[in-house]
């Protein structure tokens, strides 16, 4: 019995180590390492969800067994204003400091422009119309065509407003969704603190970056 228990524990530890970094967690979930350390796999957040969005991971989910997650293409997060999943969490794995659901960041919607209908010149814009943060998380912009005078109207995602709810992914009419919610760290880069973008930020940076190579050493 002891040997069997050891094998099970070893399996669970290996699964933790191999956990995919792409699980879409409930609103307010802390960073993956902290979340997994705090989550006791009680399922109370799942029970509290009124839309049956959340589910507990099984052995074949590729993430730690018993932890909550959701698949936006199946059932997205419908952004309950009272955030019942956070209220139900007994350990703080879902951070109670999140008071406004619009401030949640469960993931980031990313558009596959090679398969997006709008980016192929068709009028779709369903993701834009369905987005609960319409006009902020997703906007529609004019985009010139290569061989035509008429512009395309294409959706663009703005990371500072996207909640990662996945409603756009659920609504996408393509056979495989052309807009998907992913963990931001999988798709976002970082420009670097040594760059100074004076036209977008008033925050002073001690050194300016010289595009030729290196820092100028000029204080701001």
């Amino acid at each position: 019995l002891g040997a069997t228990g050891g094998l099970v524990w070893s399996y669970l530890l290996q699964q933790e180590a191999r956990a995919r970094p792409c699980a879409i967690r409930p609103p307010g979930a802390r960073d993956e390492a902290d979340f997994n350390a705090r989550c006791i796999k009680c399922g109370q957040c799942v029970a509290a969800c009124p839309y049956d969005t959340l589910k507990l991971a099984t052995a074949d989910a590729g993430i730690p067994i018993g932890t909550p997650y959701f698949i936006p293409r199946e059932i997205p997060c419908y952004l309950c204003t009272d955030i019942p999943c956070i209220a139900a969490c007994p350990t703080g794995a879902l951070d109670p400091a999140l008071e406004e659901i619009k401030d949640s960041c469960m993931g980031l919607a990313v558009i596959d422009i090679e398969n997006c209908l709008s980016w192929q010149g068709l009028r779709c814009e369903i993701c834009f119309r369905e987005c609960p943060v319409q006009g902020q998380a997703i906007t529609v912009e004019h985009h010139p065509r290569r061989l035509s005078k008429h512009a395309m109207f294409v959706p663009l995602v703005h990371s500072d407003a996207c909640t990662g709810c996945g409603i756009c992914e659920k609504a996408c009419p393509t056979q495989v969704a052309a807009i998907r919610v992913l963990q931001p760290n999988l798709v976002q880069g970082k420009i670097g603190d040594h760059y100074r973008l004076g036209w977008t930020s008033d925050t002073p940076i001690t050194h300016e970056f010289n595009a030729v190579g290196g820092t100028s050493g000029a204080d701001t």
Side-chain angles (χ1 to χ4, degrees):
L1 180 61
T4 302
L7 289 173
V8 171
W9 180 245
S10 176
Y11 168 74
L12 291 175
L13 290 177
Q14 290 177 23
Q15 189 194 43
E16 291 276 352
R18 297 173 183 171
R20 292 181 300 175
C22 58
I24 305 302
R25 301 298 192 182
R30 299 178 185 271
D31 69 79
E32 193 69 7
D34 194 7
F35 175 81
N36 285 325
R38 290 171 179 258
C39 178
I40 59 174
K41 305 163 180 65
C42 64
Q44 292 190 47
C45 59
V46 175
C49 178
Y51 296 100
D52 295 326
T53 297
L54 300 177
K55 58 176 68 178
L56 294 179
T58 56
D60 60 350
I63 56 178
I65 294 174
T67 57
Y69 75 110
F70 68 99
I71 301 175
R73 189 64 163 170
E74 295 179 0
I75 309 177
C77 173
Y78 287 103
L79 302 182
C80 303
T81 55
D82 56 346
I83 326 181
C85 51
I86 290 183
C89 179
T91 66
L94 304 182
D95 192 350
L98 179 66
E99 298 180 349
E100 297 288 338
I101 188 62
K102 65 179 178 60
D103 295 329
S104 61
C105 184
M106 294 167 273
L108 177 63
V110 179
I111 298 172
D112 174 8
I113 64 173
E114 293 181 347
N115 289 287
C116 172
L117 297 179
S118 292
W119 277 91
Q120 296 308 309
L122 303 175
R123 289 301 297 270
C124 176
E125 302 166 20
I126 290 177
C127 60
F128 167 74
R129 295 197 301 270
E130 293 293 323
C131 178
V133 197
Q134 189 182 86
Q136 298 178 52
I138 300 180
T139 58
V140 173
E141 310 290 343
H142 291 184
H143 194 278
R145 295 176 187 260
R146 295 178 181 175
L147 301 175
S148 171
K149 296 179 180 179
H150 302 286
M152 297 187 296
F153 295 86
V154 298
L156 296 176
V157 176
H158 303 274
S159 62
D160 59 340
C162 180
T163 64
C165 67
I167 291 175
C168 56
E169 181 174 339
K170 172 66 174 176
C172 182
T174 55
Q175 182 175 347
V176 176
I179 182 168
R180 296 188 185 185
V181 174
L182 301 172
Q183 285 292 345
N185 64 307
L186 295 179
V187 293
Q188 283 187 302
K190 182 177 180 181
I191 194 169
D193 296 334
H194 50 277
Y195 283 97
R196 180 186 180 191
L197 304 180
W199 58 91
T200 61
S201 173
D202 294 328
T203 303
I205 297 178
T206 304
H207 295 88
E208 292 183 3
F209 182 79
N210 187 325
V212 176
T215 56
S216 69
D219 293 331
T220 56

